[in-house]
Amino acid sequence: MVLAHGGYDMDIKGHVIDGKQGAFIIAEIAQAHDGSLGIAHSYIDAVADAGAHAIKFQTHIANAESTKDENFRVPMSGQDSTRWDYWKRMEFSKEQWFSLAKHAEDRGLVFLSSAFSVEAVNLLGEIGMPAWKVGSGEFANSNLISAMLLHNAPILLSTGLCSYEELDGVHFGLKKYGAEFAFFQCTSAYPVPLEKVGINVLQELRERYQCCTGLSDHSGTVYPSLAAMSESVDFIEVHVTFNKNIYGPDTSSSINIEDLEFLVKANQAFVKMRVNPINKDLLANELKSTRQLFTKSLCLINSLVAGESIEYDNITLKKPGTGIGADQIANLVGKSVLNDLPSDRLIKWTDVNK
């Protein structure tokens, strides 16, 4: 169903994505757990406490997705001889993935994990993914996406490494299948400089594909997410770390837990402002007492004695706004005062002759 904000409504485990509820915030843990199951569980508690809607991991199966020819994306500690070894160390067993998913559910979080192989899709399919996140590097992986589509859940696809022509092809395939989907603007740089975030692409995606849109941010700051919220984005995916000083390949591209909590509160504030439009005229009337306090009325610069006339150069404006307004100055000039009129109080119509 096409909505006023240009996209489709979507339901992800009871969370309605319709342009009215604010952004669906996904905390991307990726490899921040560094292969530790305990740390992965700790992230679930921290993200839940921060108030995000979902937590997302990445399911890597070294034998299914990598070779020992793969280079490291960023310099590593030397703990792993090859990137294949690194992916191997990042693996969790099926039972461990189930435990993470159960923990997330118990804490009220939607559990998501990006799959990077058909084998990973099959594993996660046993858990039951309410949506499938497709990383930027997998946009042309038809085997992977086809395996996800068999599970009849929405596809959330990052577009960081594809052109519009290539994305048109992905869009055609998803529409042909009848899949629900959202396209995420993403710049695959780690960290991405603010001038490369591409907030403008959110509207381009929305108009070109008539779909829900998301921002997958790698800037390591809150600013792109705030800008996306102002554009009524449907999803925000942001990398999260416990501390910016923790070692890891994604730390420089991540925000901390406190920043995540701030984004959650900001998202709620954007919703409150968006769903409560004001009537300017009615509001001005509601603020009548404040208006009187802050505005000004006509007053003398120099005191007059009874019988003297009020002249232009002897009139000024002073607080409060409970007296004669500035729009009446022409009707006041030339009138004589009935009694002595000091300059330390507002002029009243009863002070002058008719």
Side-chain angles (χ1 to χ4, degrees), residues 66-125:
S66 182
T67 68
K68 293 190 177 181
D69 293 321
E70 183 185 10
N71 293 324
F72 286 107
R73 175 168 56 80
V74 295
M76 297 291 285
S77 65
Q79 181 178 0
D80 307 295
S81 299
T82 66
R83 202 168 191 204
W84 183 93
D85 294 321
Y86 174 71
W87 294 133
K88 192 68 178 174
R89 188 164 61 81
M90 292 299 107
E91 291 181 11
F92 292 133
S93 68
K94 182 170 70 173
E95 291 72 25
Q96 290 169 331
W97 280 119
F98 267 89
S99 72
L100 290 168
K102 179 64 164 56
H103 185 182
E105 182 180 4
D106 289 344
R107 290 303 315 270
L109 289 170
V110 174
F111 176 82
L112 300 171
S113 189
S114 296
F116 291 86
S117 64
V118 172
E119 288 84 346
V121 172
N122 293 337
L123 187 158
L124 294 170

